[in-house]
């Protein structure tokens, strides 16, 4: 049934996917491809094919290689994810082949004089790539290629590490780029490109929702619990635990805080008990009371 919320969700998905596809296309068409940097995945293979056979456009090659993956995904994975992925692939590929060459020519002829700094190309190109992919991932889509392959393998072999699989695919493509271009520098710049992109992806997908999970063990648990709730204004969950050496029953305090609250929490704990044991872990996402609303983007 078509509702106002469904329409709103669809339009929001479309805005994110289009914006992400534009960033992705600019990163490939203006930074990666013209500077002989193949940043892994099927897009990297398409860039190498374009270098070897100039008549094969990067966008067209990307779409063609993704077609069999999307067909398989339609029967195996979420259809909504496949539709979002298809939109991202088509929009970014069309922009890469049709729009960015003209923008690139104008950019090079009016702004850039002389040779470009490859490191700056990797930093800004990787940042744009990460921003584009991050925006698409936030709405449940992908840019195709190794991400779709990894999800298919995850479905078949759930015990496999998806991150390791994607890294392996990217490593093979980057290694091939050194052979195709004939220079090890091209592969090294591709590593920088991919690294910058991966960092930005994490910031876009999780950045505003990340936090710290803190576990505290202390003999002064009641005092610390009360201080955290009053001074740091955060809730505390008490987990029943037992000391492995002492064998005594105790309560481990579990607290979720924002990054800017870490100092205040640490100061509060150790002012009460200098001998407290504190463990802190980074969490990709924190939602709920006092943090981001469950339905907020």
């Amino acid at each position: 049934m078509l509702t106002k919320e469904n329409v709103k969700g669809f339009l929001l998905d479309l805005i994110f996917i289009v914006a992400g596809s534009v960033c992705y296309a600019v990163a490939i068409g203006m930074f990666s491809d013209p500077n002989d940097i193949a940043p892994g995945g099927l897009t990297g293979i398409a860039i190498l094919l374009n270098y070897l056979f100039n008549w094969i456009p990067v966008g067209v090659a990307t779409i063609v290689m993704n077609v069999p993956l999307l067909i398989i995904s339609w029967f195996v994975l979420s259809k909504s994810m496949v539709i979002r992925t298809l939109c991202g692939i088509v929009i970014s590929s069309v922009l890469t082949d049709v729009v960015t060459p003209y923008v690139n020519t104008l950019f090079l002829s009016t702004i850039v004089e002389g040779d470009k700094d490859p490191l700056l190309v990797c930093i800004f190109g990787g940042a744009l790539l990460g921003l584009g992919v991050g925006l698409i991932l936030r709405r449940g889509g992908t840019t195709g290629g190794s991400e779709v392959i990894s999800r298919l393998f995850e479905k078949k072999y759930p015990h496999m590490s998806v991150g390791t699989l994607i890294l392996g695919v990217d490593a093979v493509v980057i290694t091939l780029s050194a052979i195709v271009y004939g220079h090890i520098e091209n592969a090294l710049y591709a590593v920088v490109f991919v690294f910058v992109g991966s960092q930005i992806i994490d910031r876009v997908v999780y950045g505003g929702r990340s936090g710290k999970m803190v576990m505290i063990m202390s003999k002064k648990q009641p005092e610390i619990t009360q201080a955290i709730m009053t001074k740091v204004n955060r809730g505390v969950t008490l987990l029943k635990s037992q000391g492995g050496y002492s064998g005594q029953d105790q309560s481990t305090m579990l607290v979720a805080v924002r990054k800017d609250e870490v100092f205040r929490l640490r100061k509060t704990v150790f002012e009460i008990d200098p001998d407290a044991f504190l463990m802190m872990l980074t969490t990709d996402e924190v939602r709920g009371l006092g943090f981001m609303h469950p339905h907020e983007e």
Side-chain angles (χ1 to χ4, degrees):
M1 182 179 177
L2 190 62
T3 64
K4 184 178 178 180
E5 291 299 321
N6 290 337
V7 173
K8 181 181 177 181
F10 171 77
L11 291 177
L12 195 58
D13 288 347
L14 189 61
I15 290 171
F16 270 72
I17 291 172
V18 170
S21 298
V22 170
C23 293
Y24 188 86
V26 172
I28 298 301
M30 292 182 62
F31 290 91
S32 175
D33 186 27
N35 294 282
D36 296 340
I37 298 174
L42 292 188
T43 301
I45 295 176
I47 291 173
L48 295 179
L49 290 174
N50 179 257
Y51 179 82
L52 293 171
F53 311 101
N54 197 41
W55 52 272
I56 304 179
V58 173
V60 172
T62 301
I63 292 176
V64 170
M65 287 188 290
N66 272 291
V67 166
L69 294 177
L70 292 174
I71 292 175
I72 297 173
S73 300
W74 182 261
F75 297 100
V76 178
L77 303 177
S78 165
K79 289 180 173 55
S80 62
M81 186 275 289
V82 176
I83 293 173
R84 289 180 174 88
T85 298
L86 178 62
C87 291
I89 293 172
V90 171
I91 295 171
S92 61
S93 297
V94 170
L95 289 173
T96 299
D97 287 346
V98 178
V99 179
T100 55
Y102 298 102
V103 179
N104 196 28
T105 301
L106 178 64
F107 179 78
L108 291 174
S109 61
T110 59
I111 300 178
V112 178
E113 296 180 1
D115 295 332
K116 289 170 286 182
D117 186 334
L119 192 56
L120 289 178
V121 168
C122 292
I123 293 173
F124 286 96
L128 268 174
L129 183 79
L131 176 60
V133 174
L135 289 173
I136 293 173
L137 289 176
R138 281 197 64 165
R139 302 308 296 184
T142 75
T143 54
S146 55
E147 293 171 26
V148 174
I149 294 174
S150 68
R151 294 201 181 192
L152 290 172
F153 268 83
E154 185 182 29
K155 196 79 173 179
K156 183 71 174 178
Y157 307 102
H159 61 280
M160 291 186 65
S161 170
V162 176
T164 301
L165 180 62
I166 294 177
L167 184 62
V169 173
D170 290 343
V172 170
V173 175
I174 290 173
T175 302
L176 284 175
S177 71
I179 299 172
V180 171
Y181 294 129
H183 297 285
I184 187 65
E185 289 86 354
N186 296 83
L188 296 178
Y189 284 130
V191 172
V192 177
F193 200 99
V194 171
F195 176 77
V196 173
S198 65
Q199 296 301 305
I200 299 299
I201 289 173
D202 286 343
R203 297 298 184 276
V204 173
V205 177
Y206 303 116
R209 297 170 283 180
S210 62
K212 296 288 184 179
M213 181 180 73
V214 186
M215 299 184 73
I216 309 161
M217 282 149 278
S218 170
K219 293 180 180 179
K220 298 182 179 180
Q221 174 266 311
E223 297 95 318
I224 292 176
T225 297
Q226 186 63 32
I228 291 174
M229 290 191 294
T230 55
K231 294 182 179 180
V232 187
N233 197 29
R234 286 297 175 194
V236 180
T237 299
L238 300 179
L239 306 176
K240 294 298 181 182
S241 56
Q242 186 179 64
Y245 178 76
S246 65
Q248 295 180 348
D249 292 333
Q250 58 187 20
S251 294
T252 298
M253 292 162 274
L254 178 65
V255 187
V257 295
R258 300 184 191 276
K259 292 178 181 178
D260 59 355
E261 296 171 329
V262 169
F263 174 78
R264 195 164 18 133
L265 174 69
R266 188 190 295 122
K267 185 172 181 290
T268 299
V269 171
F270 289 113
E271 278 181 347
I272 297 173
D273 184 5
D275 296 323
F277 188 82
L278 184 149
M279 292 185 294
M280 192 173 302
L281 300 173
T282 298
T283 59
D284 287 334
E285 184 170 328
V286 183
R287 289 179 181 265
L289 186 62
F291 293 90
M292 182 170 282
H293 190 273
H295 301 294
E296 186 179 351
E297 282 297 337

